[in-house]
Amino acid sequence: MSDLPPPSPEPTSGQPPSAPPPMSPVGTPPPPSASSARVGPQPPGPLVVPDGATVVVDGVSKSFGALVAVSEVSFTVGPGVTALLGPNGAGKSTLLRVLCGLTPPSRGTVWVAGGNPRTSEEARANIGIVPQQDGVFERDTIFDFVHLAAVLSGVPDPSEASMRALAAVEMDPNLDRPIGAFSKGMRQRAKIAAALVHSPTVMVLDEPLNGLDPKQRRQMIDLFHQLGEAGVTVLVSSHVLDEVERFGSNVLVIAKGRIAAKGDFRAIRGLMNDQPLRYRIECTNPRRVGAVLLDSAMVNGCTVNDSGDLEVTTNDAVAFRTNIAQICVSQEVRLTGLTPLDDDLESVFRYLVGPS
């Protein structure tokens, strides 16, 4: 990404930022009442923007009639990659639309890249948007599509900028097929190029890896990291836990329209290790291994499923993972597979915010 123009400096004010706090569960307070959801947009109050911050969200709520999509969300992020993690329907897309100025908040204040993105042309000019929807002109070639984005953004040399942006996403600008004939993954990369073409200081990407094959996913994750290292603020949403782990350690967890936890991603795993976790053990003698595990008090319970594999529940995941291989060796049992059954996003949210 060294060939992309560097982002323009951000005007900021206020006090220097403190060190980021570790990941901590915030819980889920009762949802706002329908009457509070109907409150219209409020005038913004005084907002302190920490030095180095590029996105500040202060008490933002967004409702559609009686439906509260985002409720009392506050956070601050700066350059680098920040992942917005949440299951489908958690409010991620609504929050990102508010951040980009595409829809006003019902309450609260948003400051992105120099101002209110709803009213400030400067702020909007510094934002690159990759929506979850396709949002492409299906009859255009990829070069024409990205070139149009460059022209609309007022880029001085739109052709050169389009070539650089397409090279960044590893696409051939000479492809003459219409975008509508491309795969989902290729359309996603074209959208990323169009968002990059004006060298924004803030990139907002809503589920950008949907439809990409494993190689393309690695390429785009590498690109996001390159942008972050170059000083761009990359805010990328996903509902896939493994994707978020590869995005980086800075994570905002959203559930039921609220921030459930924020900070270092690795602490999510730590939270999970304090909770009962389930594992599937594939081995040549599951009943013998199960008996030893129960005698050791390392597991709370175990069953042999219909496939003949052993499923166990443990309150001490670290000890279990450390000792299971040695236990199998001691019992002359061949261990062929160990799969965490709770290592998925829905489980993380169950641990963080409790059952629905």
Side-chain angles (χ1 to χ4, degrees):
M1 285 305 301
S2 58
D3 55 344
L4 285 176
S8 57
E10 276 303 315
T12 55
S13 62
Q15 300 300 317
S18 58
M23 174 74 73
S24 58
V26 180
T28 307
S33 65
S35 59
S36 66
R38 295 190 183 99
V39 175
Q42 302 297 302
L47 184 68
V48 176
V49 179
D51 289 341
T54 46
V55 176
V56 179
V57 176
D58 184 23
V60 164
S61 297
K62 178 62 181 180
S63 56
F64 302 93
L67 173 64
V68 180
V70 175
S71 179
E72 298 298 326
V73 168
S74 298
F75 61 86
T76 300
V77 297
V81 181
T82 297
L84 181 63
L85 174 67
N88 291 327
K92 301 188 303 296
S93 294
T94 300
L95 178 59
L96 294 183
R97 286 177 58 83
V98 171
L99 288 181
C100 295
L102 298 177
T103 186
S106 301
R107 285 181 296 186
T109 306
V110 176
W111 184 95
V112 180
N116 181 343
R118 188 72 179 173
T119 58
S120 168
E121 291 185 9
E122 176 190 2
R124 290 196 298 272
N126 284 318
I127 300 173
I129 307 170
V130 179
Q132 187 175 16
Q133 298 79 11
D134 261 354
V136 297
F137 298 108
E138 296 197 350
R139 296 182 181 180
D140 281 356
T141 66
I142 54 170
F143 181 82
D144 289 341
F145 175 67
V146 176
H147 186 270
L148 176 61
V151 171
L152 293 176
S153 298
V155 175
D157 188 344
S159 295
E160 177 63 23
S162 299
M163 297 289 283
R164 289 198 306 269
L166 286 167
V169 299
E170 303 188 17
M171 296 191 78
D172 182 358
N174 297 315
L175 288 173
D176 59 0
R177 286 182 295 158
I179 295 181
F182 288 161
S183 66
K184 171 73 171 178
M186 293 184 72
R187 293 197 300 272
Q188 289 283 70
R189 287 191 288 161
K191 285 159 49 182
I192 294 171
L196 272 176
V197 74
H198 62 294
S199 300
T201 57
V202 175
M203 287 280 290
V204 177
L205 307 100
D206 193 1
E207 302 276 2
L209 303 186
N210 282 354
L212 273 64
D213 62 34
K215 179 181 178 181
Q216 293 169 345
R217 285 172 180 250
R218 288 193 300 270
Q219 292 170 342
M220 292 304 99
I221 291 171
D222 288 344
L223 173 61
F224 301 156
H225 284 297
Q226 291 170 24
L227 289 167
E229 290 166 4
V232 178
T233 298
V234 182
L235 186 59
V236 53
S237 77
S238 178
H239 66 279
V240 180
L241 189 61
D242 288 340
E243 285 181 1
V244 172
E245 188 168 13
R246 286 182 284 171
F247 288 149
S249 61
N250 193 35
V251 176
L252 297 167
V253 181
I254 186 169
K256 303 175 186 177
R258 293 181 179 270
I259 296 295
K262 54 187 173 182
D264 194 314
F265 173 82
R266 291 166 295 186
I268 290 185
R269 301 285 188 177
L271 289 172
M272 291 178 69
N273 284 338
D274 293 336
Q275 302 290 333
L277 295 178
R278 297 179 303 125
Y279 287 84
R280 181 174 64 246
I281 302 170
E282 299 171 51
C283 61
T284 53
N285 195 328
R287 296 186 183 280
R288 182 185 300 175
V289 172
V292 174
L293 287 171
L294 287 172
D295 287 342
S296 71
M298 199 175 300
V299 302
N300 306 55
C302 60
T303 60
V304 177
N305 64 22
D306 294 339
S307 301
D309 299 325
L310 182 65
E311 294 187 4
V312 302
T313 303
T314 176
N315 278 322
D316 192 345
V318 173
F320 169 77
R321 292 194 300 261
T322 301
N323 292 289
I324 183 59
Q326 186 57 44
I327 289 173
C328 289
V329 169
S330 69
Q331 298 301 310
E332 299 182 345
V333 173
R334 186 161 62 93
L335 177 65
T336 58
L338 179 64
T339 305
L341 300 179
D342 285 324
D343 196 13
D344 58 65
L345 188 57
E346 296 301 329
S347 297
V348 170
F349 277 89
R350 185 169 66 250
Y351 298 142
L352 286 174
V353 302
S356 300

